[in-house]
Amino acid sequence: MAQKAGGTLVYIVQPEPPSLASFLSTSGPIGLVAPKIYEGLLDYDTDLNIVPALAESYTVSEDGKTVTFNLQQGVHWHDGEPFTSADVQFTVMEILSKVHPRGPNSFREVVSIDTPDEHTAVFNLANPAPYMLRALSAYESPMVPKHLLEGQDPRNSDLATNPVGTGPFKFVEWQKGQYIRLDKNEDYWKEGLPYLDRVVGRFIPDASTRTAAMENEEVMYGAFGAIPNIDAVRLRDTDGFNVTTDGYAMINPMALIEFNTTKPPFDNPALRRAVTVALDREFLIENIWFGYGKPATSALSSNFAATGLYAGAMPNYAPNAQSEQAIAILDEAGIAPDADGVRASVTLDLIPYGEDWRRAGEYMKQALSEIGIKVELRYEDVPTWLKRIYADYDFDMNVNYFYQLPDPVLGVHRHYGTDQIRQGTHFVNSSQYSNPDLDALLVAGAQEADATKRQEIYAEIQKILANDLPVANLFEMEFLTVYNEKLKDHATSALGSYGSFAEAWIDD
């Protein structure tokens, strides 16, 4: 079938992004927009193979300590300035390594970047870091324009609301509360792309309205559960629509609870263990996510079994509720009920990404009341929630989801390392958990080249975390993308909706 040029793709962005500064935040809604504007050095196909992006090729030295990227020629920023190796050097050393949530781990071994010419960037590493090559997508490590960011605080940059990238679509306007509009980059370096004239990300807060917009063909695409699973299952069997779980392989999503370990009551690990065993993971999956998901059994996703790093089911990770065990844990720790049967009163913050999370919170409130934990639910808008959890640390427990990504160094370490207590940075160690023994293991795991030794290190990491539980994983998520079948080639990379839409087209 021949691709057709032209047309406007209207898709759901839920909720509205707090900004478009993907170099500062990996917030999901930002990821739905920014990779259409910005690009990375590499991309990844649906089988997770590395494919060229802003780097047309790369080579790794025999000792693994030098990685040379040969950049595409003829690439320009949306303002007309040329993209060069100086932008790569600036982006990695001055932006991603300093202010990005995951950049300090992704590029932890990068000592310097040489730029022998405008189209060559040489990464000099202290130790081999093969995981780094899995962290160079537009979503994960967006290249940003040095000439627009140099000399200013990136946290206060105009690029947050007026982004300038090299990607297939240019930012045009952001109507707050309504939509973000991106138009075709007529000077895009990939000849013949993109096919679409325009992409529009609409913000529709109400779940039933989002479903109605899909059914009425006002929108053609909704990812990350934008269409609630209960409606997605129905649309799956409706002519003209389809549902897929493809497009999420690169991110490895995990639903979880973050505990504030620095203040009562969750400074006591016994209470964290009790909460973890009192929750019914299979109930959450079956009744709220309609069967899409898999109970978590460890700090690492079972998807890491393919690399040998997953060590199997850990203690305190039963798939079903173990209320009696939870009560025994509390009794043994001396956390006794008062005259009303209450052992602890806590606030549970909920990720503000839709009704499924509210329903999960209602279930958790009920389940924890059965072991004497009185829960108050709090649901706020995205900026307020991000500030509360990651800047102010003003919370007891927070329901969230994190991406574990293709390697634990990229997606898991940021939960637990003392060096990842980075106040104001989103999606890092908000628990403020600090364990010198674990820190040493995280460093060893990142640097160990021998596969067997690396497996042993991560097995020990998982044992420690199953006991301490600063974060309790709930279930390995399976997100649903619902789309109109007129929309073609919308998931040509492992990033799915976090991809560029450069090859997407509409068959009228």
Side-chain angles (χ1 to χ4, degrees):
M1 188 182 293
Q3 293 92 341
K4 296 179 182 178
T8 296
L9 167 60
V10 182
Y11 71 111
I12 298 170
V13 174
Q14 170 57 31
E16 184 168 2
S19 82
L20 291 178
S22 55
F23 49 89
L24 291 177
S25 177
T26 54
S27 174
I30 298 176
L32 290 170
V33 180
K36 285 75 176 153
I37 303 166
Y38 292 107
E39 295 181 290
L41 291 176
L42 300 173
D43 203 352
Y44 309 88
D45 67 20
T46 52
D47 295 319
L48 300 185
N49 298 308
I50 293 172
V51 294
L54 287 175
E56 64 178 11
S57 63
Y58 69 93
T59 56
V60 182
S61 63
E62 197 169 316
D63 65 0
K65 294 184 180 182
T66 305
V67 184
T68 302
F69 293 96
N70 303 301
L71 307 181
Q72 304 280 359
Q73 301 198 24
V75 179
H76 290 84
W77 296 101
H78 292 159
D79 64 0
E81 291 294 315
F83 164 75
T84 72
S85 57
D87 294 306
V88 177
Q89 194 273 347
F90 174 79
T91 296
V92 174
M93 301 307 295
E94 300 302 323
I95 304 297
L96 300 179
S97 292
K98 294 181 178 180
V99 297
H100 188 271
R102 300 190 283 251
N105 273 339
S106 301
F107 302 107
R108 63 185 301 137
E109 300 295 348
V110 181
V111 177
S112 62
I113 297 177
D114 298 329
T115 55
D117 60 58
E118 289 192 346
H119 300 106
T120 308
V122 183
F123 287 47
N124 302 301
L125 278 57
N127 296 285
Y131 53 83
M132 185 184 75
L133 292 172
R134 295 282 169 188
L136 296 174
S137 70
Y139 166 67
E140 187 63 23
S141 299
M143 293 296 112
V144 297
K146 178 180 179 180
H147 67 281
L148 296 179
L149 273 176
E150 189 174 30
Q152 60 176 291
D153 183 350
R155 296 178 182 87
N156 299 316
S157 166
D158 289 342
L159 293 188
T161 53
N162 189 21
V164 175
T166 60
F169 297 97
K170 291 184 175 183
F171 174 80
V172 177
E173 65 173 331
W174 184 346
Q175 289 289 337
K176 295 289 185 179
Q178 297 181 58
Y179 63 84
I180 289 173
R181 173 184 153 192
L182 313 176
D183 283 2
K184 178 177 183 173
N185 178 7
E186 298 287 356
D187 301 313
Y188 189 45
W189 58 274
K190 287 186 180 179
E191 191 173 349
L193 297 178
Y195 296 116
L196 296 166
D197 289 336
R198 179 176 297 162
V199 294
V200 177
R202 277 188 60 191
F203 320 132
I204 307 174
D206 180 68
S208 61
T209 307
R210 291 196 295 273
T211 299
M214 178 69 69
E215 291 181 291
N216 297 335
E217 299 193 8
E218 296 171 30
V219 301
M220 300 187 77
Y221 181 97
F224 285 93
I227 305 300
N229 283 24
I230 188 171
D231 293 325
V233 170
R234 176 173 55 80
L235 285 173
R236 185 179 60 194
D237 300 323
T238 303
D239 288 346
F241 300 96
N242 212 333
V243 176
T244 181
T245 56
D246 292 344
Y248 302 101
M250 199 76 187
I251 58 173
N252 216 357
M254 178 73 78
L256 52 87
I257 298 170
E258 297 168 281
F259 296 105
N260 190 333
T261 68
T262 66
K263 66 175 188 177
F266 290 117
D267 56 344
N268 186 336
L271 196 67
R272 306 196 295 263
R273 286 193 288 271
V275 167
T276 304
V277 302
L279 297 176
D280 193 318
R281 289 160 170 77
E282 289 188 344
F283 179 91
L284 285 167
I285 294 165
E286 293 301 322
N287 292 278
I288 298 175
W289 276 270
F290 288 84
Y292 287 98
K294 185 177 178 183
T297 52
S298 168
L300 263 61
S301 167
S302 64
N303 291 336
F304 287 118
T307 58
L309 299 182
Y310 170 70
M314 290 286 133
N316 301 318
Y317 270 102
N320 303 112
Q322 307 290 316
S323 299
E324 291 183 5
Q325 181 187 345
I327 290 170
I329 290 170
L330 295 171
D331 287 343
E332 186 177 338
I335 304 173
D338 64 14
D340 296 321
V342 176
R343 298 171 188 261
S345 295
V346 303
T347 299
L348 171 59
D349 285 281
L350 302 171
I351 183 172
Y353 285 12
E355 292 305 311
D356 290 344
W357 298 100
R358 289 195 188 220
R359 292 171 62 211
E362 293 290 348
Y363 158 72
M364 294 168 71
K365 177 178 180 176
Q366 178 185 336
L368 294 180
S369 71
E370 295 175 9
I371 64 168
I373 298 176
K374 184 178 180 181
V375 175
E376 177 184 339
L377 300 179
R378 184 162 52 199
Y379 189 91
E380 300 174 307
D381 63 32
V382 176
T384 305
W385 171 71
L386 288 170
K387 182 175 185 293
R388 180 184 295 283
I389 306 303
Y390 298 106
D392 299 340
Y393 299 139
D394 179 23
F395 74 102
D396 298 323
M397 56 191 294
N398 176 50
V399 171
N400 197 353
Y401 66 86
F402 268 46
Y403 302 153
Q404 296 208 344
L405 303 173
D407 190 282
V409 176
L410 304 176
V412 179
H413 287 206
R414 60 201 169 107
H415 274 305
Y416 306 112
T418 303
D419 63 349
Q420 295 300 303
I421 304 173
R422 300 161 57 207
Q423 191 165 10
T425 298
H426 302 160
F427 308 115
V428 291
N429 186 353
S430 67
S431 298
Q432 302 168 78
Y433 172 74
S434 180
N435 179 337
D437 293 336
L438 189 84
D439 288 340
L441 288 166
L442 295 175
V443 171
Q447 296 179 356
E448 182 55 65
D450 182 271
T452 301
K453 291 179 181 176
R454 196 168 192 236
Q455 290 170 20
E456 293 169 355
I457 292 167
Y458 279 99
E460 187 60 30
I461 287 171
Q462 288 166 81
K463 289 176 186 173
I464 291 172
L465 292 174
N467 183 65
D468 287 1
L469 288 168
V471 171
N473 287 339
L474 295 173
F475 61 95
E476 299 168 15
M477 303 187 73
E478 288 182 339
F479 283 115
L480 300 186
T481 298
V482 181
Y483 62 95
N484 189 307
E485 290 185 327
K486 293 176 184 176
L487 179 63
K488 310 295 184 182
D489 296 334
H490 52 82
T492 55
S493 84
L495 278 299
S497 59
Y498 287 172
S500 70
F501 285 167
E503 296 174 48
W505 59 285
I506 298 171
D507 183 14
D508 290 327

